[in-house]
Amino acid sequence: MAFNCCLSSSPFRILQLPTVAPSSSSRLFFRTADGIPVNPHGYLLKLPSQHLTIALSTSAAVQTSPATSSSTISNSPDDKGGKAPWKAAIDFKWIEDNKEAVAANIKNRNSNASIELVLELYEKTFNLQKEVERVRGERNAVANKMKGKMEQSERQRLIEEGKSLKDQLAALEEQLVKLTDELQQEAQCIPNMTHPDVPIGGEDSSRIRKMVGSPRKFSFVPKDHLQLGKELDLFDFDAAAEVSGSKFYYLKNEAVLLEMGLLNWTLSEVMKRGFTPLTTPEIVRSSVVEKCGFQPRGTNTQVYSIDDSDQCLIGTAEIPVAGLHMDSILAESLLPLKYVAFSHCFRTEAGAAGTATRGLYRVHQFSKAEMFIFCRPEESEHYHEELITMEEDLFSSLGLHYKTLDMASEDLGAPAHRKFDVEAWMPGLERFGEISSASNCTDYQSRRLGIRYRPSGPPTTSANTKKAKGNLAPPRFVHTLNATACAVPRMIICLLENYQQEDGSVVIPEPLRPFVGGLNIISPKSG
């Protein structure tokens, strides 16, 4: 697979690098398609152009690229059935020209990426590529000379020279493969650029966007969800620990109705806003996890990997939904594509311990409804606002006291351009706890997953726009957004602790009652 550096009109620094197998480390993509006006803080990229394979789509409106098309990631398994290679194609010239901004972004996100090393490796790679092309040109010149008539001695001399050049070229290409892989790994550690309005710093620097309600004033000492759950016979952590280990649980009795009711109510409300419901696979390929910006393996990973396979358990439905249209060109008329996906989620929660994470607050397995949007680049900020507003409306309708935070730069993670978190008041825990987040990942994920759309208008005439075949406009990368509609365990915490009564019962919020069989209250069991 070719690795093409997407640059300006300058003839300098056009790289054509050989195929390099990826490592298992996380891969980061950056910004927008050639010649398309978008956020000026982004990277300009184009994708590798050879050995294209298109994923099947269930939608008749999805257009798949021809096998000769450029600008698409190759994800075909190799002939031996091994892991499919994938790569980012990075505009190193843009990074070089904007190294101060990139360096500041790396610092603001507390990333360990090194722009100095990336640019050093880029220069070495560029120079080595020129040497490869020089030797290849000499070898071709020798081959052309041998086509004519000549003395046998001269032919023999050319044969020996050609063999020497062939060996020299093979050695140089091997060096180039290694250097390219090192360059790719280092460059892909650079995080996504950050929205200019994001607060700079750690989690404590996050800015309050909205505060709704106030803490409930109890006429009695409130209990936490663990005590309520025990007294109301709603869950069993002890049996689950024996069966599965710590941080697993059984839901029982009305807690089961609450889980099903919360999910059905959430799906019902979100579908009213035009979201298509999905259930997803809960095992995915490690490469898809990487392309979404997560680390499937490593000491600090939150992902459960399956031994002797290239598969992982999902930590969120964001991953399989993001992969739904992998390696496709979507019809513009389809956008935005809005999904709400139900899945179970699995997280190692490495290092999580203490009273702040006890009970249902931080567990290894839970149910969740996740919203996900594929949209045009110019619309992603609008849909980010829509997602967080939908979350706020859902939590307000349940009568929760919560705050929405514009998360600071160090808490964004690799993919997010901007992220809003919602934290609800949990009286028994005596603190706010995160119950959802909404992230705009711009084209970070779509560039890794090869998800584009074909604009319906005529192609532009910009000098920086890649020529399209015929009269078709060149495809553009979609933007992706994700948001938690309902993470069941933490919602159960909120409901039990906020709606508890002095007699030990718990009132069911009115919007949920039709979804839990008309149940109004969870009462202590008699006897």
Side-chain angles (χ1 to χ4, degrees):
M1 175 170 62
F3 174 58
N4 300 313
C5 188
C6 174
L7 306 176
S8 67
S9 57
S10 170
F12 186 56
R13 299 187 184 280
I14 301 296
L15 297 184
Q16 183 71 21
L17 303 182
T19 301
V20 186
S23 75
S24 61
S25 62
S26 179
R27 293 292 186 252
L28 303 180
F29 270 52
F30 312 112
R31 312 269 5 117
T32 66
D34 300 16
I36 296 171
V38 291
N39 191 309
H41 299 274
Y43 296 91
L44 297 175
L45 305 179
K46 70 179 181 181
L47 292 171
S49 59
Q50 299 177 358
H51 311 306
L52 173 66
T53 295
I54 299 300
L56 297 177
S57 173
T58 57
S59 172
V62 174
Q63 307 167 6
T64 55
S65 304
T68 57
S69 172
S70 62
S71 301
T72 304
I73 296 176
S74 168
N75 288 295
S76 304
D78 60 31
D79 294 337
K80 297 179 181 179
K83 185 178 180 180
W86 66 277
K87 275 191 171 296
I90 303 168
D91 184 353
F92 293 100
K93 185 65 165 64
W94 190 95
I95 296 176
E96 188 174 54
D97 291 344
N98 297 274
K99 60 184 179 181
E100 290 81 9
V102 176
N105 185 61
I106 290 172
K107 180 180 179 181
N108 290 341
R109 289 195 177 225
N110 197 26
S111 168
N112 59 4
S114 171
I115 186 175
E116 293 81 8
L117 179 57
V118 168
L119 294 176
E120 177 186 342
L121 291 169
Y122 170 52
E123 193 68 26
K124 290 181 179 179
T125 304
F126 173 71
N127 292 332
L128 184 56
Q129 175 67 29
K130 287 198 299 184
E131 181 65 11
V132 166
E133 292 172 352
R134 183 190 68 79
V135 175
R136 185 180 291 122
E138 290 185 9
R139 188 192 65 175
N140 292 340
V142 169
N144 287 333
K145 288 180 183 179
M146 293 182 64
K147 295 177 182 178
K149 293 183 179 180
M150 63 187 71
E151 295 292 333
Q152 183 60 32
S153 59
E154 177 63 10
R155 182 173 297 278
Q156 185 60 37
R157 186 189 69 79
L158 291 175
I159 289 173
E160 292 175 358
E161 184 179 357
K163 183 178 182 303
S164 175
L165 289 169
K166 179 181 178 182
D167 293 342
Q168 185 180 352
L169 182 61
L172 289 172
E173 288 178 336
E174 183 178 355
Q175 294 176 38
L176 187 58
V177 166
K178 295 178 180 178
L179 189 58
T180 301
D181 185 54
E182 185 178 359
L183 171 63
Q184 190 77 8
Q185 290 184 51
E186 293 297 332
Q188 291 177 167
C189 289
I190 298 175
N192 197 358
M193 297 300 283
T194 305
H195 191 285
D197 293 339
V198 167
I200 304 303
E203 185 176 358
D204 292 342
S205 300
S206 298
R207 184 185 303 118
I208 295 179
R209 162 194 164 97
K210 188 175 185 179
M211 180 77 78
V212 175
S214 58
R216 178 185 166 188
K217 295 181 179 180
F218 293 90
S219 60
F220 56 93
V221 178
K223 303 169 184 176
D224 66 14
H225 71 283
L226 279 171
Q227 186 175 354
L228 288 165
K230 181 178 181 180
E231 293 175 358
L232 295 171
D233 196 22
L234 298 180
F235 21 81
D236 191 331
F237 287 92
D238 294 335
E242 293 296 324
V243 171
S244 302
S246 63
K247 295 189 180 296
F248 287 94
Y249 56 95
Y250 287 95
L251 293 184
K252 301 168 63 179
N253 299 314
E254 292 91 344
V256 176
L257 299 182
L258 269 182
E259 170 162 1
M260 301 303 177
L262 279 165
L263 291 168
N264 282 315
W265 170 73
T266 301
L267 291 173
S268 175
E269 291 297 310
V270 174
M271 287 169 63
K272 293 176 185 177
R273 302 291 295 268
F275 283 70
T276 299
L278 295 174
T279 60
T280 73
E282 294 173 357
I283 294 177
V284 296
R285 297 186 186 278
S286 300
S287 59
V288 178
V289 178
E290 291 181 7
K291 291 174 188 179
C292 289
F294 300 95
Q295 174 61 271
R297 288 176 170 80
T299 55
N300 294 319
T301 184
Q302 294 293 311
V303 178
Y304 282 108
S305 294
I306 301 174
D307 287 345
D308 301 320
S309 79
D310 69 339
Q311 295 173 312
C312 303
L313 299 180
I314 64 170
T316 169
E318 170 191 344
I319 296 168
V321 179
L324 181 62
H325 298 295
M326 189 165 58
D327 301 318
S328 294
I329 298 179
L330 306 169
E332 185 177 24
S333 60
L334 280 179
L335 300 177
L337 283 168
K338 298 181 176 182
Y339 296 105
V340 55
F342 162 74
S343 75
H344 296 101
C345 304
F346 305 88
R347 300 183 184 181
T348 66
E349 299 297 356
T355 57
T357 62
R358 69 185 184 274
L360 290 174
Y361 190 82
R362 198 173 295 281
V363 289
H364 291 311
Q365 176 185 331
F366 59 96
S367 300
K368 181 159 71 85
E370 182 82 0
M371 297 181 286
F372 198 95
I373 295 178
F374 301 90
C375 70
R376 300 172 186 85
E378 60 271 20
E379 296 175 333
S380 64
E381 288 202 30
H382 164 76
Y383 287 117
H384 196 200
E385 286 292 329
E386 178 179 299
L387 286 172
I388 190 61
T389 300
M390 288 176 64
E391 290 181 336
E392 291 169 344
D393 288 347
L394 288 171
F395 305 138
S396 292
S397 68
L398 293 178
L400 300 182
H401 168 43
Y402 65 86
K403 59 182 178 180
T404 305
L405 301 172
D406 191 351
M407 300 307 292
S409 56
E410 293 181 18
D411 201 54
L412 294 179
H417 179 57
R418 192 178 195 181
K419 184 177 74 162
F420 299 126
D421 278 7
V422 178
E423 296 184 355
W425 180 251
M426 300 176 179
L429 297 179
E430 297 183 320
R431 65 182 178 90
F432 284 97
E434 181 188 341
I435 57 173
S436 77
S437 65
S439 298
N440 181 1
C441 297
T442 62
D443 60 359
Y444 171 92
Q445 293 173 329
S446 64
R447 285 188 170 276
R448 300 157 73 92
L449 292 160
I451 307 170
R452 300 172 293 162
Y453 75 98
R454 179 84 64 184
S456 56
T460 66
T461 57
S462 170
N464 291 328
T465 302
K466 188 178 64 177
K467 293 181 180 179
K469 291 188 176 181
N471 293 321
L472 295 176
R476 301 175 66 185
F477 289 98
V478 301
H479 280 195
T480 63
L481 304 97
N482 64 83
T484 307
C486 178
V488 169
R490 295 190 184 180
M491 291 301 292
I492 290 179
I493 293 175
C494 289
L495 297 180
L496 294 181
E497 294 189 359
N498 282 286
Y499 283 95
Q500 61 181 296
Q501 305 300 303
E502 190 169 7
D503 64 359
S505 64
V506 174
V507 174
I508 304 295
E510 189 170 345
L512 291 180
R513 293 174 187 176
F515 298 90
V516 291
L519 185 67
N520 295 335
I521 192 167
I522 304 174
S523 300
K525 308 299 181 290
S526 59

